[in-house]
Amino acid sequence: MTDEPPQQTLQSFHDALMAHPLIRELWHHFPENMFLVRVEEDGHFTVEAANPAQLDIVGRECLGQPLSAFMPAASAEAIYARYRECVARDKPIRYEEHAAFFDEHGNEQYGYWLTLIVPLHNAADDPQRVTHLFGIAQNVTELHQARDALERHNQALEARVEQRTAELQHANRELTLLNGQLEEMATRDFLTGCYNRRHIEALGQREIDRARRYGISLSVLMIDLDAFKQVNDTQGHAAGDAVLKRVAASLQDALRDSDLLGRFGGDEFLILLPESGSDDARATAERLQQRARELAAVSISVGIATLRPDDDSLDSLAARADQQLLAAKREHHREASG
């Protein structure tokens, strides 16, 4: 390292530039920041030269000064750490830095740079000692700002997508619920809540096909409320509706989970009893009559039909059960008259 005072050293470097036209042109017109930092014997660093691009950012007051003279302490120390690393390794290093500096008005500014620093040796007494660091720094502040803006935009888009996805999922859940409600309305009797006739007939055909496929039994119960017309005539249709709902609830309460209850029309109900023969069906009919009396205070008549080889549809089963129901009602009427 030379013993010349800082100003003389600066002048010597300036004179060297002036002596080489091509280097001078490069120094003055290179668009990126170029600088020369002197490595002091006490481990500090002093800016010895800076090209116009660098001076436009930090000003001429940086020349002959340590970084701390024109940068906040934290930024200066971060850069010093890089300088010390370069000196210790005695090899060029590249890095990206985020640094703050004071502009010509003393206001603190921030920026991002991609920097390359190269160790130089200019000591006659010790050719291996690093005396200077030459640096080139590309200002990428606008690129970082653009990236930050893009990141914020992407985050906003992601938030919007998440919101729209949540809204869509909510709409799909609402639609699924609505479809379920519509399906329920399409298959259920609005008054009693059990299956309507159209759906119980479809279920009946399904159970017949299943019984034939697996060789299992199937029975059908046709149920009618006794003296229901009298309830409507004497107490009104609202009372009749209430009786129908109570009877439907009592029937459902007495059935197995696999049994299927449907309102066949008026005060008639049809029940499908999968895997039930005639004996099981009669036992179920008796249980239903008892529950109707206990829970609904209503007497019901029941007709029973069990699947036969010649039954090709629910109609034939239901017709036989209906005949049995009429016979049961006639018997019930004779008993009541007697």
Side-chain angles (χ1 to χ4, degrees):
M1 176 177 172
T2 180
D3 293 330
E4 296 175 344
Q7 188 59 41
Q8 185 174 351
T9 304
L10 292 173
Q11 187 62 41
S12 298
F13 183 81
H14 182 268
D15 292 343
L17 283 178
M18 297 302 102
H20 299 82
L22 291 179
I23 297 179
R24 183 176 65 248
E25 286 293 308
L26 178 65
W27 181 262
H28 284 289
H29 299 291
F30 195 74
E32 309 300 345
N33 302 342
M34 292 197 298
F35 52 90
L36 187 71
V37 174
R38 187 171 66 251
V39 181
E40 306 290 5
E41 291 184 350
D42 60 2
H44 287 83
F45 302 89
T46 302
V47 178
E48 189 164 295
N51 72 337
Q54 175 81 2
L55 294 175
D56 285 343
I57 295 178
V58 296
R60 293 188 178 276
E61 293 77 5
C62 69
L63 299 179
Q65 299 293 328
L67 299 186
S68 57
F70 55 90
M71 303 182 76
S75 291
E77 184 53 40
I79 295 175
Y80 284 156
R82 296 289 191 178
Y83 289 176
R84 295 188 192 103
E85 178 185 357
C86 185
V87 171
R89 294 172 57 183
D90 196 10
K91 291 182 179 180
I93 63 171
R94 298 178 185 271
Y95 55 91
E96 181 175 333
E97 58 187 341
H98 175 214
F101 59 91
F102 298 117
D103 62 17
E104 58 182 350
H105 303 293
N107 298 318
E108 192 170 314
Q109 305 291 336
Y110 294 88
Y112 292 86
W113 286 269
L114 293 175
T115 302
L116 165 68
I117 52 177
V118 180
L120 302 177
H121 311 81
N122 189 35
D125 58 339
D126 186 1
Q128 301 301 318
R129 183 167 62 86
V130 177
T131 60
H132 293 78
L133 298 175
F134 174 72
I136 299 177
Q138 181 185 11
N139 191 336
V140 292
T141 302
E142 292 185 358
L143 178 59
H144 266 270
Q145 291 173 342
R147 287 177 179 173
D148 291 343
L150 180 60
E151 180 64 23
R152 290 192 298 271
H153 181 67
N154 287 339
Q155 290 176 353
L157 284 179
E158 289 175 1
R160 187 174 182 183
V161 168
E162 290 179 1
Q163 180 183 359
R164 292 296 177 86
T165 300
E167 291 173 353
L168 182 59
Q169 290 173 342
H170 177 73
N172 285 337
R173 288 193 295 269
E174 291 290 324
L175 181 60
T176 300
L177 179 61
L178 180 59
N179 286 337
Q181 293 173 344
L182 291 175
E183 183 178 354
E184 187 78 3
M185 292 173 62
T187 59
R188 296 284 179 176
D189 174 61
F190 73 94
L191 178 63
T192 62
C194 56
Y195 292 124
N196 57 31
R197 178 165 181 165
R198 180 180 63 82
H199 194 59
I200 198 67
E201 286 179 338
L203 294 176
Q205 191 59 52
R206 184 194 70 182
E207 291 301 324
I208 289 175
D209 294 341
R210 190 170 74 92
R212 293 200 182 284
R213 184 181 308 115
Y214 297 107
I216 57 179
S217 56
L218 172 68
S219 294
V220 168
L221 304 182
M222 187 70 77
I223 295 175
D224 182 87
L225 276 65
D226 297 329
F228 180 70
K229 185 175 183 302
Q230 183 178 355
V231 174
N232 278 334
D233 292 343
T234 59
Q235 301 180 43
H237 289 285
D241 289 347
V243 170
L244 286 174
K245 289 192 284 187
R246 290 201 305 273
V247 170
S250 69
L251 296 177
Q252 192 65 67
D253 181 71
L255 294 173
R256 302 171 301 177
D257 291 340
S258 59
D259 299 333
L260 303 169
L261 169 65
R263 186 181 178 189
F264 213 60
D267 61 333
E268 284 189 330
F269 295 87
L270 184 141
I271 299 176
L272 299 170
L273 303 176
E275 303 182 33
S276 295
S278 56
D279 292 341
D280 293 330
R282 280 192 293 272
T284 299
E286 292 173 359
R287 185 169 69 252
L288 293 177
Q289 288 174 316
Q290 181 179 354
R291 287 295 180 88
R293 286 192 298 269
E294 293 175 351
L295 300 180
V298 171
S299 173
I300 61 174
S301 296
V302 183
I304 303 172
T306 299
L307 184 66
R308 299 188 310 207
D310 59 337
D311 290 321
D312 57 356
S313 68
L314 181 65
D315 290 341
S316 59
L317 265 174
R320 289 207 315 277
D322 195 49
Q323 291 173 0
Q324 293 292 325
L325 173 63
L326 292 176
K329 289 185 73 68
R330 285 194 295 269
E331 180 65 25
H332 182 269
H333 182 69
R334 284 195 297 268
E335 291 176 355
S337 299

Short mmCIF file of all heavy atoms in Angstrom, two decimals, residues 163-181:
data_model
loop_
_atom_site.label_atom_id
_atom_site.label_comp_id
_atom_site.label_asym_id
_atom_site.label_seq_id
_atom_site.Cartn_x
_atom_site.Cartn_y
_atom_site.Cartn_z
N GLN A 163 -60.80 -17.63 -2.45
CA GLN A 163 -62.12 -17.14 -2.11
C GLN A 163 -63.16 -17.69 -3.08
O GLN A 163 -64.23 -18.17 -2.67
CB GLN A 163 -62.14 -15.61 -2.14
CG GLN A 163 -63.52 -15.02 -1.81
CD GLN A 163 -63.54 -13.51 -1.92
OE1 GLN A 163 -62.52 -12.88 -2.21
NE2 GLN A 163 -64.69 -12.91 -1.69
N ARG A 164 -62.83 -17.63 -4.40
CA ARG A 164 -63.77 -18.15 -5.39
C ARG A 164 -63.97 -19.65 -5.23
O ARG A 164 -65.08 -20.16 -5.41
CB ARG A 164 -63.27 -17.84 -6.80
CG ARG A 164 -63.30 -16.34 -7.14
CD ARG A 164 -64.73 -15.80 -7.16
NE ARG A 164 -64.79 -14.39 -7.41
CZ ARG A 164 -64.80 -13.85 -8.63
NH1 ARG A 164 -64.73 -14.62 -9.70
NH2 ARG A 164 -64.90 -12.53 -8.78
N THR A 165 -62.85 -20.36 -4.90
CA THR A 165 -62.96 -21.81 -4.69
C THR A 165 -63.86 -22.11 -3.50
O THR A 165 -64.71 -23.01 -3.57
CB THR A 165 -61.56 -22.42 -4.46
OG1 THR A 165 -60.73 -22.16 -5.61
CG2 THR A 165 -61.65 -23.92 -4.24
N ALA A 166 -63.67 -21.34 -2.42
CA ALA A 166 -64.52 -21.53 -1.24
C ALA A 166 -65.98 -21.24 -1.58
O ALA A 166 -66.89 -21.95 -1.16
CB ALA A 166 -64.03 -20.64 -0.10
N GLU A 167 -66.20 -20.17 -2.36
CA GLU A 167 -67.56 -19.83 -2.76
C GLU A 167 -68.16 -20.93 -3.63
O GLU A 167 -69.34 -21.28 -3.48
CB GLU A 167 -67.56 -18.49 -3.51
CG GLU A 167 -67.23 -17.29 -2.63
CD GLU A 167 -67.08 -16.01 -3.45
OE1 GLU A 167 -67.10 -16.10 -4.69
OE2 GLU A 167 -66.94 -14.94 -2.83
N LEU A 168 -67.32 -21.47 -4.54
CA LEU A 168 -67.81 -22.54 -5.41
C LEU A 168 -68.12 -23.79 -4.61
O LEU A 168 -69.14 -24.46 -4.85
CB LEU A 168 -66.76 -22.84 -6.49
CG LEU A 168 -67.13 -23.92 -7.52
CD1 LEU A 168 -68.40 -23.54 -8.26
CD2 LEU A 168 -66.00 -24.15 -8.49
N GLN A 169 -67.24 -24.12 -3.66
CA GLN A 169 -67.49 -25.29 -2.82
C GLN A 169 -68.76 -25.11 -2.01
O GLN A 169 -69.55 -26.06 -1.86
CB GLN A 169 -66.29 -25.53 -1.90
CG GLN A 169 -65.04 -26.01 -2.62
CD GLN A 169 -63.84 -26.09 -1.72
OE1 GLN A 169 -63.81 -25.50 -0.63
NE2 GLN A 169 -62.81 -26.82 -2.14
N HIS A 170 -68.95 -23.89 -1.50
CA HIS A 170 -70.18 -23.61 -0.74
C HIS A 170 -71.40 -23.74 -1.65
O HIS A 170 -72.42 -24.33 -1.25
CB HIS A 170 -70.11 -22.20 -0.15
CG HIS A 170 -71.35 -21.79 0.58
ND1 HIS A 170 -71.69 -22.31 1.82
CD2 HIS A 170 -72.36 -20.91 0.24
CE1 HIS A 170 -72.84 -21.77 2.21
NE2 HIS A 170 -73.27 -20.94 1.29
N ALA A 171 -71.29 -23.20 -2.87
CA ALA A 171 -72.39 -23.31 -3.82
C ALA A 171 -72.68 -24.76 -4.17
O ALA A 171 -73.84 -25.16 -4.29
CB ALA A 171 -72.09 -22.50 -5.08
N ASN A 172 -71.60 -25.55 -4.33
CA ASN A 172 -71.79 -26.97 -4.64
C ASN A 172 -72.47 -27.71 -3.48
O ASN A 172 -73.33 -28.58 -3.71
CB ASN A 172 -70.45 -27.62 -4.95
CG ASN A 172 -69.92 -27.25 -6.32
OD1 ASN A 172 -70.70 -26.87 -7.20
ND2 ASN A 172 -68.63 -27.35 -6.52
N ARG A 173 -72.06 -27.35 -2.25
CA ARG A 173 -72.71 -27.98 -1.10
C ARG A 173 -74.19 -27.59 -1.04
O ARG A 173 -75.05 -28.43 -0.76
CB ARG A 173 -72.01 -27.56 0.19
CG ARG A 173 -70.63 -28.20 0.38
CD ARG A 173 -70.13 -28.02 1.80
NE ARG A 173 -69.91 -26.61 2.11
CZ ARG A 173 -68.76 -25.99 1.94
NH1 ARG A 173 -67.72 -26.64 1.44
NH2 ARG A 173 -68.63 -24.72 2.27
N GLU A 174 -74.46 -26.31 -1.31
CA GLU A 174 -75.85 -25.86 -1.33
C GLU A 174 -76.64 -26.58 -2.41
O GLU A 174 -77.79 -26.98 -2.21
CB GLU A 174 -75.89 -24.34 -1.55
CG GLU A 174 -75.36 -23.51 -0.39
CD GLU A 174 -76.29 -23.57 0.81
OE1 GLU A 174 -77.52 -23.62 0.60
OE2 GLU A 174 -75.79 -23.58 1.95
N LEU A 175 -75.98 -26.75 -3.59
CA LEU A 175 -76.66 -27.42 -4.70
C LEU A 175 -76.91 -28.88 -4.37
O LEU A 175 -77.99 -29.42 -4.67
CB LEU A 175 -75.81 -27.30 -5.97
CG LEU A 175 -76.40 -27.93 -7.24
CD1 LEU A 175 -77.73 -27.30 -7.59
CD2 LEU A 175 -75.42 -27.79 -8.41
N THR A 176 -75.90 -29.53 -3.75
CA THR A 176 -76.08 -30.93 -3.35
C THR A 176 -77.21 -31.06 -2.35
O THR A 176 -78.04 -31.98 -2.44
CB THR A 176 -74.77 -31.47 -2.74
OG1 THR A 176 -73.72 -31.39 -3.72
CG2 THR A 176 -74.94 -32.92 -2.31
N LEU A 177 -77.25 -30.13 -1.40
CA LEU A 177 -78.31 -30.15 -0.40
C LEU A 177 -79.66 -29.94 -1.06
O LEU A 177 -80.65 -30.63 -0.76
CB LEU A 177 -78.06 -29.07 0.66
CG LEU A 177 -79.11 -28.94 1.76
CD1 LEU A 177 -79.20 -30.24 2.56
CD2 LEU A 177 -78.77 -27.78 2.69
N LEU A 178 -79.71 -28.96 -1.98
CA LEU A 178 -80.97 -28.67 -2.67
C LEU A 178 -81.41 -29.86 -3.51
O LEU A 178 -82.60 -30.22 -3.53
CB LEU A 178 -80.81 -27.44 -3.56
CG LEU A 178 -82.04 -27.00 -4.36
CD1 LEU A 178 -83.19 -26.69 -3.43
CD2 LEU A 178 -81.72 -25.78 -5.22
N ASN A 179 -80.45 -30.48 -4.21
CA ASN A 179 -80.79 -31.66 -5.01
C ASN A 179 -81.32 -32.78 -4.12
O ASN A 179 -82.26 -33.50 -4.51
CB ASN A 179 -79.57 -32.14 -5.80
CG ASN A 179 -79.25 -31.24 -6.97
OD1 ASN A 179 -80.12 -30.53 -7.47
ND2 ASN A 179 -78.01 -31.26 -7.42
N GLY A 180 -80.68 -32.93 -2.96
CA GLY A 180 -81.16 -33.94 -2.02
C GLY A 180 -82.57 -33.64 -1.55
O GLY A 180 -83.42 -34.55 -1.43
N GLN A 181 -82.84 -32.34 -1.30
CA GLN A 181 -84.19 -31.95 -0.88
C GLN A 181 -85.19 -32.19 -1.99
O GLN A 181 -86.32 -32.66 -1.74
CB GLN A 181 -84.18 -30.48 -0.46
CG GLN A 181 -83.38 -30.22 0.81
CD GLN A 181 -83.24 -28.73 1.10
OE1 GLN A 181 -83.48 -27.89 0.24
NE2 GLN A 181 -82.86 -28.40 2.33
#
